[in-house]
Each structure stands twice: as C-alpha cells, then as structure tokens.
Amino acid sequence: MNKQHVLIVEDDPWLAEQHARVLSRAGYEPTITPHALAAIQAIDIVEPAAIILDVLLTGSTAFALMHELQSYTDTARIPIILCTNIAEELELEVVAPYGVRRILDKTSMEPSDLVTALRSVLV
Amino acid sequence: MKREQGMRDNMASGGVLADGLPSLIAAAHELKSPLSLVRQLSLLLETEDLSVDERQRMLRQITLTSERALRLTNDLTRSVRLQDALFTLEPINPKQLCEEVVHELTPLFTAHGRRITLAPRTHPLLLVANRDLLRRIIVNFSDNALYYAEGDGPVQLQINAFHEGQMIRLGVRDYGPALSSDMWRSLQTKLSTAPQPIHARPQSSGLGLYIASQFAEAMNGSLGVTRHADGATFYIDLHASQQLSWL
C-alpha cells in the first residue's frame, strides 16, 4: 500500500524533524519545507494528502500560502492542519474557508496529536 | 475578513508599554517558540523508542534551545534595568569581542549544520562601548541570522572603519536569499522605533531588535541593516576610540 504524503511547512528545523519522525512512525511519508514559497513548489511534486502548517513563517505568512492554495481547485481540496504557537489567537470557523480543518496548539499538544488530527481529516 | 484583521491587531498589541519598556505580550511570544520546542523534544524523549545517538542529539537540542531562551530573558531584564544603571564605556577591541561571540555560538551553529566566522582583519581597531551590551547585540544579530535567514549559508561577523576611522561598524552578514522590499522597509522601521506588530515580520515580534536598539542607544551607537542581493547585514555603528592614535 502506498504511503500518504504529508507536507510539513515549519521553519524550525528541529521541530519539523520531530514532526516528520512522528508521522513516519505512523506510516505517513512526510516532506519538510521551511517556508511558503518552498511549500508551493513541493505541493506540485509530492501532491500531499494533507498539509501541517505553521502560521508564523519566515517570509510570507501561512495566510499567504492558504490564499494561494485556495486559488486552484486541486490544491483547495487539500486539508490543512495549523500547528502554531498562536492557536489561542485563531478560531477554526474563521480560518476554515482557507481549507483549515484542525488547529493544534504547539504549546500544549502531545506529539501523537499530530497523527490523531491527520487521521481525522483523512478519513 | 474583518475578524482576521481583528486577530492580527490583537496579535499586534505586543510592543512597548507606555514607559517604553518591552511589553509582556512581546516577551511571551518570543519565549513560546523555544519553550514549545523544548517541551516537544522532552515528550518525545519520554515516549519514543530512540537510539542512544538520537537521544543524545535531542538532549543537545534541548540544551541549546534552553540557552537561547535564557539569552532572551537575560537581555530583557538587562534592557529593563538600562534606565536605572550606569554603564561603563571603555575602549574595546572589536576583533577580540567578535572572536568570543564566534566561540560562544559555534556549538549552536554546528548543531544546525551552519557556520559562523569572523572576517579576517589586519589592522587593529578600538571602539568605545560597553563590553557586555555590545556582546549581547552581536549575539542577538547572529542568533537572528541563524534562525531567520533562509538557506544554509554561513554567517560572518565583519568589522570595518569609516568616516576616516572615526566610526567603526560591526556587522553580521548572512548569505540567505535577499529580503523582500516589504520586509526590508519593515526592518528599517523596526530598527528606529519600537517593535512592530507581529505580522510585520511574521515569525518574530522584533523584541530582540528592539532590545538591541536600546543597548546601542545607551552606548551612543546606532543600528542599521544593509540589503544585499543574497542576504543582509545587520550592523551597529560606534565611535572609534582615540587611544590607538596616541600610540
């Protein structure tokens, strides 16, 4: 069975590496990109089933990336899980139109929450 | 859309208090990233089946990330106490100080697969500064270059004299892709005023730069940023010491 690709957009390389470790062990195929521009390029290549997205990125914010993804029919369908330190500033109903299906709070989440959130949006 | 703007305005409420001190929100925001990373690494160490090498590497990351957070808290308390304290300005050899910074930060850069170096310089220079404050500024710029510059290029500390040797510039040059025009304008503003809203520089509240500008001001110096085709240089300009000319 082919593994599902998951794109991790995270500019902290050590945190991204740990996210990737958790996802790999859960049977997913993670790809890490450090910023929005690299993410856009990677999406065409890996065609991810879902995107784990940090909000405060180097350069463009996650909002710029989400706007871009919503511009195309195929990328607009990719479920996004925001994984951020500013979760308390965000409301799911407000960001849902950008394709966001879950919001994870980096300050309180368990590593396994990443897998739980992914499974819930990929059913 | 209004609600999104409202969220951003709320995020932007970090900055400075009425008396010019960094706000608690800006400080809290800056500390969240390293603390979240330390927590995630600790949780993984507890739960994951890891090799000895992996465990050692993660423990090293926890140590280095904690040190980074502690540097920020130390700078913050130093910044708040600036108004009450007297600072000795003395002749300082910038080359020696930069060598100390390179030595201090090399383990952190190495752990990230990056390099920090000091540009070679033949002629000795002396500037007038407070050693502790100047070291904190250079460490802050270097830290900034490590975390916020893109790519894996080296970070180089540079020392140059200008205005016929009356002024000395200590710069931290990174070799990532160039800053966008918007970000450059934002940084120019940030270097001369209080911290900007978080979304002005998405991943940072600008607290570190604000503290650095406070330190520079206390030493009669000024901060600036130069944009290059392939990166940026953050610098501090300070007055040269006349001691060398007496020799």
Side-chain angles (χ1 to χ4, degrees):
Chain A
M1 193 174 115
N2 286 337
K3 290 181 177 179
Q4 286 180 299
H5 285 271
V6 177
L7 185 66
I8 299 168
V9 190
E10 167 63 62
D11 60 3
D12 185 317
W14 290 347
L15 189 57
E17 182 187 325
Q18 297 313 325
H19 286 344
R21 175 201 300 278
V22 170
L23 296 184
S24 292
R25 294 203 173 193
Y28 296 100
E29 184 75 46
T31 299
I32 297 171
T33 57
H35 50 71
L37 188 60
I40 289 169
Q41 291 165 342
I43 285 166
D44 285 339
I45 299 166
V46 302
E47 298 180 357
I51 299 172
I52 310 281
L53 178 60
D54 185 17
V55 174
L56 303 176
L57 295 164
T58 304
S60 305
T61 67
F63 289 101
L65 175 61
M66 292 190 292
H67 271 298
E68 179 69 10
L69 296 180
Q70 289 303 305
S71 308
Y72 303 96
T73 316
D74 52 346
T75 55
R77 283 197 293 263
I78 304 172
I80 294 171
I81 298 169
L82 293 182
C83 186
T84 174
N85 279 324
I86 58 162
E88 63 190 18
E89 308 281 350
L90 303 170
E91 294 173 38
L92 185 57
E93 62 181 87
V94 177
V95 291
Y98 295 103
V100 177
R101 304 279 296 277
R102 296 284 184 279
I103 299 175
L104 293 177
D105 187 343
K106 278 186 192 173
T107 64
S108 59
M109 65 182 274
E110 299 283 323
S112 59
D113 289 346
L114 215 49
V115 178
T116 307
L118 257 183
R119 286 181 179 151
S120 70
V121 303
L122 290 176
V123 290
Chain B
M1 217 39 200
K2 276 185 178 173
R3 295 188 70 178
E4 182 188 323
Q5 187 59 48
M7 287 189 305
R8 291 182 178 201
D9 290 343
N10 190 24
M11 287 155 60
S13 60
V16 290
L17 301 174
D19 57 4
L21 300 177
S23 80
L24 291 175
I25 292 176
H29 170 75
E30 288 288 336
L31 285 170
K32 270 186 178 181
S33 292
L35 289 174
S36 296
L37 177 58
V38 166
R39 182 174 172 277
Q40 287 300 309
L41 290 168
S42 302
L43 288 170
L44 285 162
L45 279 168
E46 282 177 11
T47 56
E48 293 278 306
D49 183 20
L50 302 164
S51 69
V52 174
D53 284 351
E54 284 175 322
R55 294 183 72 83
Q56 284 182 340
R57 185 161 176 269
M58 288 166 70
L59 287 168
R60 184 78 184 132
Q61 290 175 346
I62 287 174
T63 303
L64 292 167
T65 306
S66 304
E67 287 174 357
R68 185 181 177 224
L70 285 168
R71 271 200 298 275
L72 177 65
T73 55
N74 288 337
D75 284 354
L76 201 56
T77 50
R78 191 76 157 130
S79 165
V80 171
R81 288 176 184 158
L82 265 181
Q83 296 169 352
D84 310 325
L86 291 174
F87 293 96
T88 309
L89 299 182
E90 57 185 342
I92 289 172
N93 179 344
K95 181 168 178 278
Q96 186 184 35
L97 185 134
C98 286
E99 284 171 347
E100 289 170 9
V101 171
V102 168
H103 180 72
E104 178 183 341
L105 293 182
T106 291
L108 178 63
F109 274 69
T110 304
H112 278 273
R114 304 277 297 273
R115 281 187 308 118
I116 180 168
T117 61
L118 173 61
R121 181 164 183 89
T122 328
H123 303 294
L125 294 171
L126 279 182
L127 52 75
V128 179
N130 177 277
R131 172 172 285 276
D132 177 49
L133 296 186
L134 182 56
R135 187 186 61 78
R136 287 170 191 260
I137 290 171
I138 302 303
V139 168
N140 178 280
F141 284 173
S142 304
D143 197 71
N144 215 42
L146 173 65
Y147 285 95
Y148 299 136
E150 296 179 43
D152 55 3
V155 170
Q156 188 179 56
L157 309 192
Q158 301 173 340
I159 306 164
N160 293 295
F162 63 105
H163 282 178
E164 297 178 338
Q166 297 297 305
M167 298 294 294
I168 295 175
R169 174 168 294 179
L170 267 67
V172 177
R173 170 83 156 97
D174 65 61
Y175 290 86
L179 296 170
S180 69
S181 299
D182 286 348
M183 188 178 286
W184 186 70
R185 274 196 296 273
S186 163
L187 287 173
Q188 289 283 28
T189 307
K190 192 173 288 182
L191 285 166
S192 59
T193 64
Q196 295 301 295
I198 286 171
H199 63 264
R201 180 171 175 166
Q203 74 286 20
S204 162
S205 69
L207 183 63
L209 280 178
Y210 173 69
I211 293 173
S213 70
Q214 296 284 89
F215 290 168
E217 198 176 312
M219 298 186 292
N220 304 314
S222 58
L223 302 189
V225 58
T226 303
R227 201 178 164 207
H228 310 286
D230 60 347
T233 300
F234 285 81
Y235 60 80
I236 175 170
D237 290 340
L238 289 160
H239 291 279
S241 167
Q242 300 306 311
Q243 279 197 6
L244 278 180
S245 63
W246 299 339
L247 296 176

